[in-house]
């Protein structure tokens, strides 16, 4: 397993829709392991493959907040939302590709998601609370969409300018 580099916005790969996974292979399972390790190391609660420059429809997440509770690492391959609640929730979201920037985003409170599991099996689950927000945020990544795309243009441009500056400083360091 290895911790991979996380792409920082702006990057064209973060704006590009990812390709469906055709087959669950050992190589893909190794990628999922790397993604989980990268997510936990960050630390974060979700990571989508395009964030490490791999343009495949796969995401990992673990939204267990209680440090006493057992971890619940999840790997979702080719996930899609098949139902969403009319009821909406607002969460302050952040993103490993947009470090230290947070903003409120409104999304459906509950979603039902269908995906392929690591053994190639079909999985289906209904998510609520933080899990619902996280899975929608990560599926957005697979469609080339970032949480800042939900913000007003002025706020989005302000965050993007900060990220350009951050990347310039990182490149110099
Ligand atoms: Zn993100």
């Amino acid at each position: 397993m290895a911790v991979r580099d996380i792409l920082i916005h702006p990057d064209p790969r973060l704006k590009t829709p990812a390709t469906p996974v055709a087959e669950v292979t050992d190589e893909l399972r190794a990628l999922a392991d790397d993604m989980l390790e990268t997510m936990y190391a960050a630390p974060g609660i979700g990571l989508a493959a395009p964030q490490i420059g791999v343009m495949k429809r796969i995401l990992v997440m673990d939204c267990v907040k209680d440090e006493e509770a057992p971890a619940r690492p999840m790997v979702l391959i080719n996930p899609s939302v098949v139902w969403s609640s009319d009821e909406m929730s607002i969460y302050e979201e952040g993103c490993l590709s947009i470090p230290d920037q947070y903003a409120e985003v409104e999304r459906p409170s509950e979603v039902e998601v269908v995906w392929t599991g690591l053994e190639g099996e079909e999985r289906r689950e209904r998510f609520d609370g933080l899990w619902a927000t996280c899975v929608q945020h990560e599926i957005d990544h697979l469609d080339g969409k970032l949480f800042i795309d939900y913000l007003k243009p002025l706020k989005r441009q302000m965050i993007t300018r900060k990220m350009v500056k951050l990347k310039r400083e990182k490149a110099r360091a």
Side-chain angles (χ1 to χ4, degrees):
M1 294 215 289
V3 172
R4 309 275 195 106
D5 286 335
I6 297 174
L7 299 178
I8 304 297
H9 165 75
D11 186 294
R13 288 166 286 183
L14 294 172
K15 304 297 272 180
T16 307
T19 311
V21 172
E23 195 189 352
V24 182
T25 58
D26 285 344
E27 192 189 350
L28 193 83
R29 282 185 276 265
L31 170 68
D33 281 345
D34 281 0
M35 286 174 65
L36 281 168
E37 195 176 348
T38 304
M39 177 189 82
Y40 285 124
I45 60 170
L47 184 74
Q51 291 182 275
I52 56 167
V54 176
M55 304 312 294
K56 291 182 179 159
R57 299 188 75 84
I58 174 169
L59 66 87
V60 298
M61 60 177 182
D62 182 350
C63 300
V64 175
K65 279 278 190 177
D66 183 357
E67 295 199 353
E68 308 282 299
R72 195 193 173 204
M74 294 193 76
V75 177
L76 282 68
I77 300 160
N78 297 336
S80 65
V81 174
V82 292
W83 173 85
S84 49
S85 63
D86 292 332
E87 197 194 328
M88 305 291 278
S89 290
I90 296 175
Y91 267 96
E92 186 162 75
E93 295 189 24
C95 180
L96 294 177
S97 294
I98 311 174
D100 301 323
Q101 303 298 317
Y102 303 92
E104 288 186 339
V105 177
E106 189 179 40
R107 300 183 189 268
S109 310
E110 273 186 79
V111 287
E112 191 168 322
V113 179
V114 171
W115 72 94
T116 300
L118 281 172
E119 304 304 326
E121 80 284 16
E122 190 183 293
R123 304 279 304 271
R124 177 184 287 258
E125 191 170 325
R126 198 172 275 207
F127 295 100
D128 62 8
L130 183 58
W131 287 90
T133 290
C134 185
V135 77
Q136 291 175 79
H137 174 122
E138 300 309 329
I139 290 174
D140 274 354
H141 274 301
L142 304 181
D143 294 326
K145 191 166 183 180
L146 301 171
F147 83 89
I148 56 171
D149 294 333
Y150 293 94
L151 309 180
K152 292 199 171 72
L154 209 62
K155 171 104 191 193
R156 182 165 65 238
Q157 285 154 18
M158 194 184 77
I159 290 176
T160 299
R161 272 198 300 273
K162 281 185 187 163
M163 292 301 105
V164 169
K165 193 163 162 248
L166 175 76
K167 286 175 80 170
R168 212 182 290 138
E169 282 164 4
K170 276 192 165 180
R172 260 202 301 258

